[in-house]
Amino acid sequence: ARVGNELTGQPEVQAELMRTIGGTFGDLGAYGRSDAMYRGAETIERELHGGHHPHVARALRGRAMALSGEGKMAEAEQLARESVEMLKPAAGATEQELGAAITTLYFVLLAQSKVTEAEVLLQEFLQTLKKQPGSENPNFTASLDALASVLKRDGKLGEAESVFRAVLALEQKMGSTNEMDASATLNNLGMVLRAQGRLADAEEMYHRALAISRKASRDHPFVANQLYNLAKLLYDQDKPADAEPLLREAVALRQKVQ
């Protein structure tokens, strides 16, 4: 109510603020309050733009995430589907927005064990990525990273590789402020490549990840993990002379930061 009172006469600003607050509530696990904020934003956007507009779709996606957090999966799926369908033909919608909506629906379907439907949607998502112009939106990058992690966990290694590579490309465009994020993505990509038996490719990714981490923070615990990953991979390739110094460094660093 306070948001509405303070921003009377500024409905677009009011709706944007309500979406922002809704997202914050969602991050805090206050899903009921999150849904209330997104629902308020949805009402305003429908009044301003009608029933079919990217701004309405954003509010619907937020509501879907909030309802999913509450375990109301059927309602979450309905809203997530509406958001995706609304963005496909909507004037002004971006590939980034459509990709984010597809990601939300994908997770909602997986949560209900609707694996076949999620797989079909995933292929559509990957096609979207191929056309992705390279958004520099951190929220979108985080969504892709979460999706790649789920694919890796579920053994869908080819799909996970594709999405991790898309994440890496976006992080590299975003520059030095995301160096450690890029390092983590390279490390994850190396793990996926290793799981596929592509050890030489995995080694390259581990080396690149470690180089970034050393430059950013030599004493970070994550550096020790990357040293260990690379050392183990080198041992698996019968390169003990290369592996042993890295393993000793990893042990020393872990003792230092404990």
Side-chain angles (χ1 to χ4, degrees), residues 76-219:
E77 180 182 340
Q78 179 182 346
L79 294 177
R81 286 189 184 280
E82 188 176 349
S83 177
V84 169
E85 291 304 316
M86 190 174 294
L87 288 168
K88 286 181 178 178
T94 65
E95 295 289 343
Q96 169 200 324
E97 289 172 321
L98 178 57
I102 289 174
T103 302
T104 299
L105 179 54
Y106 177 82
F107 285 128
V108 169
L109 290 171
L110 281 185
Q112 299 175 92
S113 299
K114 296 184 177 181
V115 178
T116 301
E117 291 181 70
E119 287 294 331
V120 171
L121 188 72
L122 175 61
Q123 296 308 315
E124 181 177 357
F125 183 90
L126 294 176
Q127 290 302 314
T128 299
L129 286 185
K130 291 179 182 178
K131 299 182 291 184
Q132 179 60 244
S135 166
E136 296 181 14
N137 186 311
N139 293 328
F140 181 56
T141 305
S143 294
L144 290 185
D145 187 72
L147 173 60
S149 296
V150 170
L151 293 169
K152 175 178 171 289
R153 181 198 68 194
D154 292 347
K156 299 178 176 66
L157 300 178
E159 291 91 339
E161 179 188 346
S162 296
V163 180
F164 273 132
R165 288 190 184 279
V167 172
L168 181 62
L170 295 178
E171 288 170 341
Q172 289 174 334
K173 282 181 176 291
M174 292 164 70
S176 60
T177 57
N178 285 270
E179 282 185 348
M180 290 303 290
D181 288 342
S183 177
T185 301
L186 283 163
N187 189 70
N188 287 332
L189 183 54
M191 294 172 68
V192 169
L193 293 168
R194 178 177 180 174
Q196 295 179 78
R198 295 159 60 187
L199 301 187
D201 292 336
E203 181 181 341
E204 177 189 352
M205 295 302 160
Y206 283 154
H207 275 296
R208 289 174 60 188
L210 183 59
I212 293 172
S213 295
R214 285 186 188 280
K215 180 180 177 182
S217 177
R218 296 188 65 89
D219 293 336

Side-chain angles (χ1 to χ4, degrees), residues 203-242:
E203 181 181 341
E204 177 189 352
M205 295 302 160
Y206 283 154
H207 275 296
R208 289 174 60 188
L210 183 59
I212 293 172
S213 295
R214 285 186 188 280
K215 180 180 177 182
S217 177
R218 296 188 65 89
D219 293 336
H220 196 284
F222 191 57
V223 177
N225 293 337
Q226 292 181 333
L227 285 164
Y228 176 78
N229 287 342
L230 179 54
K232 190 172 186 304
L233 180 66
L234 291 169
Y235 271 121
D236 290 345
Q237 295 181 91
D238 295 322
K239 300 177 181 179
D242 294 330

